[in-house]
Structures are given as C-alpha cells and as structure tokens.
Amino acid sequence: MTALQQKFDEGRRRLLMDRSVPGRVGATLPPLDVPEQDLPPDSLLRTELALPEVSEGELVRYFSQISQSNFSIDHNFYPLGSCTMKYNPKINDEIASIPGLAAIHPLQPESTVQGALKLMYELQGYLAAITGMPGVSLAPMAGADGELAGMLMTRAYHLERGEPNRKNVLIPDSAHGTNPASAAMAGFDVVTLPSDANGDTDLEALRASVSEDLAGLMITLPSTLGLFDANIVEVCRIVRDAGGIVYGDGANLNALLGRVKLGDLAFDVIHSNLHKTFTQPHGGGGPGAGPVISGPRLRQYMPSPVVTRETDADGTETYSLSSPEKTIGRMGAFHGNFGALVRAYAYISTLGNAGIAQISDDAVVNANYILSGLKGYYDLPYDRTCMHEVVFSARNLKRAYGVSALDVAKRLIDYGIHPPTMYFPLIVEEALMIEPTETESKETLDYFIEVMRTIAQEAAENPELLHDAPHDTLNSRVDEARAARQPDLRWRPAP
Ligand SMILES: Cc1ncc(COP(=O)(O)O)c(C=O)c1O
C-alpha cells in the first residue's frame, strides 16, 4: 500500500469525533423567535461537552460511508443458512407504511380498526390454507416465541388431561438451537435424538426414547441439515401413538410451500417464521412474527388474541379480537408484530397460489444447483438431494491445508459475498450451511460457485491469504464474542 493509499484508508476509518475541527459548523440556526430562557443552575450543567464540529457535507459523507460499510441483502448476495436472507420486494414495506396501517394504536376501539382486523383475519386464513391446520394465532413476535407458545400449549394439554408426568420432549440433534431452549423454558426435560447415517431421525433411537413420560417431539422440517426427513410419517405416528404432541418447527416453510402441508403429516402444532418465509429481513432477534398454527388437539389453547369474524343477517361483517377457550394467555403486549403481519399479507396476496408454490420450487432448485456446483470441492456429509439449503463441510481443507470453515467464510467477504452460517448444525464438523434462497439469479449462483471453487484452490496454494481474510473491510478479524458481550460504544479522545 502506498503512503497515499494508507492515508485514504486511515481517513475512512476515522470516527466523526476524530474528523472534528474547532469552529466548523454543519447547521445554521434560525433567528430566535421564542422568549429567551435562563439556563439551569451551574451544578446541573457540564462544563465540557465534546460534540463533533463538522460541516454538513462532511457529516453526510461520514454517514453515507458507514451506511455502506454495513453488509445488507440490498447490496450483495447473503447466503446465510437457516436465516433465509432473500430479497424483499419494496412494495411490502410501502404497504406496511400506509398511515391507516402504520399509525393506528393497539388500544383503539375495534370498530375503528376493522380494516386492520380484517387483514389479520385473512392472514390467519392464508396460513391455515398453506399449512393445512385450522387454528392460527398471530400473537408470537418471533420464531422462538412461536415455539414457546407451542410448548406452553403442549403443557396445558397434558396438564388438563391429568398427565403432569409427561415431561420429556424429544428433539433431534439436527433441530434448530431455539427448539431445546423453548422446550426447557416451558418446563420440559429435553431428550436429544440422534440422526441416522442419512441425516434422518433415527427410528430405533426414537422407539427406545418413547415412554409414558413423553410430552412430545419437536422437529425442524426440513431439518437444519437442509434435508426432508424421509422417516417423518413414521416419526409422527410413533409419537402420537405414545400420547405425545408433534411440534413442527416450520421456520423452513419456504422449502415446502404449495407442496407439503404439515397438517397432512399429522403435526399437532407448528410455527411459521413470517420474516423468513414471507418477506422481511431476518435479523438480530427481530423484528419478526412467528404465528403459532395448530391442529384440532391444541387449538383451544392458542395464545390470545385471535381474530374472529361475525356476519350479521344483513351480511355486515364484524371483526373482533378474542381469546381461545383455554388460552395459554398472551405472548406479549397487544396483538403481535403488526408491521410484520402486514408485510406477509402483502407478499402472500401479491404472489397468489401459483407464486407461493414457485417460492419453494425455486428455493430448492437453487440450493441443489449449489450442491452440484460445489460437490467435489468441499466435503458433502449427506450426499443426497437437499431442500432449501445445503450443508457442506470444510474439513477436507482443514485436514489438508489447515484452512477452516471460518477462513473460507471470511474470504468470501473479499469477493463481496456474505459468509454462510458456520459451525452449525453442530453435528457437522467445519459446517458451511448455505441457503441461496429463491430470489437469486443463475448468474449470482454461478458467481458464488466460482468464488467458492477459487477459495478452495487458494486454500491449497496460499492458506495464509485465507487466515488473514477479509482484506478489504474496515476491520478484518475481530473477537466476535467480545464485540457482542463487551461492546465499546463510547468515543474517547486520543491520549
Ligand atoms: C429453523 C429455525 N427455527 C427457529 C428459528 C428461530 O426464529 P427467530 O429467530 O425468529 O426466533 C429460526 C431462525 O432462523 C430457524 O431458522
């Protein structure tokens, strides 16, 4: 790097306070047109308050630069497995910001928000039709919140039947990490089920784990291995025959839409991540919506509220918020994350039946395209057709050249691609979990495949290049755990 390039590089790293020059201003205040007021007493005033003194132009340039340092789906390809970072049509945001939807208050009388309630009612109907399960509560605010609701419903069901002994929830080792956490939060004991050599639920282990203490099974379908469990019908039968509830983590519904209805597979209760499957980016624990959807056995326990409709003799429809008969109560204040519900409603309405089925077709084709493009370059622990995501392993690179999944992921950033999910699912060593999503073009997938093949070659020829990646970002390797746990958010003047 030349001295001038270094100067440029240092310049773009400078924080706003470091750009400050005494006396420089970025705003002109209008003449005072209100009575002048006395300042509070000195004891309440700071003698020094360091504020950045910059021109308006410098301010705009600073914020524009940092906005572009942030990786986003609107900038680049984002194949983060299990997170479904797909392109979200802007029209959905536009609809969610219509004042009649965005500016209403949850405590307004129901008669003044009939349109919003109708939207929620119809969304409940869409989700019931898509999943083949009749009961829908839009209340949970995220996928994990939907899981907790489903587990609390399971508990209520067993308690009401006088079976408090049913404490065990079976969870395959290929489940999403939130599943055991939700079961434990609802007071259950988690029993892990191993996967068999094909990545499906091990039926022998399942049979051996079933007892009169069985509360239910929580299974992610397709699993976090990106696989459709070939044993699923038998798995559901064994659990139900033993008096257990079958909970389906339906967060990966974008692999099944229009093709498989979880209700037809005898699931009792599931949740759907609206923010993964039906538009809206997924990030940082929200904002999202994780409606819980149930079959007949658990319907009466659903969280409040649900929206119901009554039709008068003259045909006038009235929508109301109501509580299922034996509801587990509320999952949070008010009625769910309404903005996320509007976006999902807009998305589903725009696509219609044919468009909805196209989502899963494209998501699955795209993932399998990547599978065949990278097979032979990276280890493929489960060599079979995948669903919406594919899990590779970098263990071949690790053994041969000391290059880890983390190194591969970091190097992708140099090529303008967000890293895939790494080291998850836990049962795959050096896992690279890639979810291209349905919205990516063949050109983007081809570019990704070419980059991944190039990185495998770089690993053989110049492993150091990968250990130090990324090379072109404001920061290279950071201590990610420390950055999250002890963030340093305060500017301090240089000593
Ligand atoms: C399969 C699966 N289940 C559950 C969740 C949890 O959803 P949330 O992050 O909305 O709580 C996710 C999130 O990505 C997921 O992929």
Side-chain angles (χ1 to χ4, degrees):
M1 201 187 269
T2 66
L4 260 187
Q5 279 171 328
Q6 199 167 343
K7 200 167 182 181
F8 167 69
D9 199 51
E10 280 164 15
R12 65 184 186 138
R13 286 166 206 275
R14 282 163 71 219
L15 300 173
L16 195 59
M17 280 305 292
D18 298 327
R19 298 175 190 220
S20 182
V21 175
R24 209 166 263 178
V25 281
T28 322
L29 295 178
L32 187 67
D33 61 354
V34 291
E36 209 172 315
Q37 299 295 309
D38 291 337
L39 289 174
D42 281 355
S43 59
L44 295 180
L45 294 176
R46 276 173 286 196
T47 47
E48 260 184 55
L49 179 60
L51 289 174
E53 295 176 74
V54 289
S55 71
E56 183 179 326
E58 283 161 336
L59 186 79
V60 167
R61 199 166 282 169
Y62 171 75
F63 281 113
S64 303
Q65 276 170 6
I66 57 171
S67 76
Q68 283 164 19
S69 307
N70 217 358
F71 207 101
S72 86
I73 184 67
D74 283 349
H75 283 105
N76 291 83
F77 183 40
Y78 208 132
L80 190 64
S82 204
C83 285
T84 319
M85 298 300 290
K86 63 182 174 187
Y87 173 73
N88 295 282
K90 299 294 168 243
I91 189 169
N92 302 319
D93 292 327
E94 213 173 308
I95 292 171
S97 58
I98 293 172
L101 296 171
I104 52 178
H105 193 280
L107 292 180
Q108 259 176 257
E110 286 178 7
S111 60
T112 66
V113 287
Q114 283 294 299
L117 292 177
K118 181 175 182 188
L119 181 151
M120 290 170 75
Y121 180 84
E122 290 185 358
L123 180 59
Q124 289 175 182
Y126 288 166
L127 294 174
I130 285 169
T131 59
M133 300 170 81
V136 182
S137 166
L138 304 173
M141 311 276 180
D145 208 23
E147 292 171 23
L148 179 62
M151 284 292 104
L152 292 173
M153 290 159 66
T154 303
R155 194 176 69 174
Y157 169 82
H158 290 307
L159 287 181
E160 199 194 350
R161 291 163 57 89
E163 297 189 295
N165 56 304
R166 291 193 175 267
K167 293 287 271 182
N168 292 347
V169 172
L170 308 178
I171 304 187
D173 57 7
S174 61
H176 192 264
T178 46
N179 294 183
S182 302
M185 275 181 77
F188 290 112
D189 296 330
V190 173
V191 180
T192 305
L193 282 180
S195 301
D196 66 16
N198 296 323
D200 296 325
T201 305
D202 185 322
L203 288 178
E204 283 317 305
L206 172 62
R207 287 192 190 101
S209 307
V210 161
S211 70
E212 59 193 21
D213 292 339
L214 179 71
L217 165 95
M218 251 188 137
I219 188 164
T220 306
L221 192 75
S223 70
T224 58
L225 294 168
L227 302 176
F228 189 90
D229 195 319
N231 297 330
I232 193 65
V233 172
E234 185 60 4
V235 166
C236 293
R237 196 190 58 72
I238 293 171
V239 173
R240 288 177 65 116
D241 283 357
I245 290 293
V246 185
Y247 185 96
D249 178 332
N252 295 335
L253 218 53
N254 58 325
L256 306 178
L257 289 173
R259 301 288 164 199
V260 177
K261 293 189 179 192
L262 293 178
D264 293 350
L265 292 175
F267 278 85
D268 290 297
V269 54
I270 66 166
H271 80 268
S272 162
N273 279 39
L274 297 190
H275 47 297
K276 276 175 41 125
T277 304
F278 305 110
T279 212
Q280 184 154 321
H282 179 182
V292 64
I293 307 168
S294 75
R297 283 214 283 180
L298 293 191
R299 192 172 177 180
Q300 54 192 329
Y301 304 103
M302 280 191 313
S304 323
V306 293
V307 182
T308 46
R309 181 178 72 185
E310 272 177 32
T311 310
D312 287 358
D314 66 359
T316 309
E317 291 170 346
T318 308
Y319 298 89
S320 323
L321 294 165
S322 62
S323 284
E325 198 190 333
K326 295 173 184 160
T327 181
I328 54 163
R330 288 181 168 272
M331 299 306 294
F334 306 126
H335 323 315
N337 196 348
F338 186 64
L341 304 181
V342 175
R343 284 176 180 82
Y345 179 86
Y347 190 67
I348 298 172
S349 316
T350 317
L351 288 172
N353 280 339
I356 289 289
Q358 187 78 39
I359 291 178
S360 52
D361 287 5
D362 292 350
V364 172
V365 166
N366 281 359
N368 280 286
Y369 188 71
I370 287 179
L371 185 157
S372 51
L374 295 183
K375 197 169 150 179
Y377 293 82
Y378 294 83
D379 271 8
L380 185 60
Y382 300 98
D383 188 359
R384 54 188 264 204
T385 307
C386 66
M387 298 295 285
H388 64 302
E389 61 197 357
V390 53
V391 179
F392 279 100
S393 164
R395 68 188 162 202
N396 55 328
L397 304 186
K398 179 104 188 207
R399 283 179 197 149
Y401 319 112
V403 164
S404 64
L406 180 73
D407 294 333
V408 173
K410 295 289 185 191
R411 183 66 177 144
L412 276 168
I413 300 173
D414 285 336
Y415 292 101
I417 295 172
H418 193 281
T421 297
M422 292 164 284
Y423 302 104
F424 180 74
L426 302 176
I427 52 176
V428 173
E429 190 192 338
E430 295 295 321
L432 288 166
M433 183 197 213
I434 301 163
E435 182 175 6
T437 82
E438 64 276 13
T439 59
E440 296 300 334
S441 65
K442 180 172 177 298
E443 292 74 26
T444 302
L445 302 185
D446 285 336
Y447 174 68
F448 175 69
I449 290 168
E450 195 184 336
V451 167
M452 285 291 282
R453 288 179 180 179
T454 303
I455 292 175
Q457 198 178 334
E458 288 173 348
E461 291 166 1
N462 185 4
E464 278 316 305
L465 184 71
L466 275 67
H467 294 323
D468 296 342
H471 300 274
D472 196 29
T473 49
L474 285 179
N475 293 303
S476 184
R477 299 270 172 127
V478 294
D479 179 340
E480 282 158 18
R482 207 167 141 230
R485 300 230 165 104
Q486 298 165 7
D488 181 5
L489 304 174
R490 217 176 130 209
W491 176 85
R492 291 175 197 83

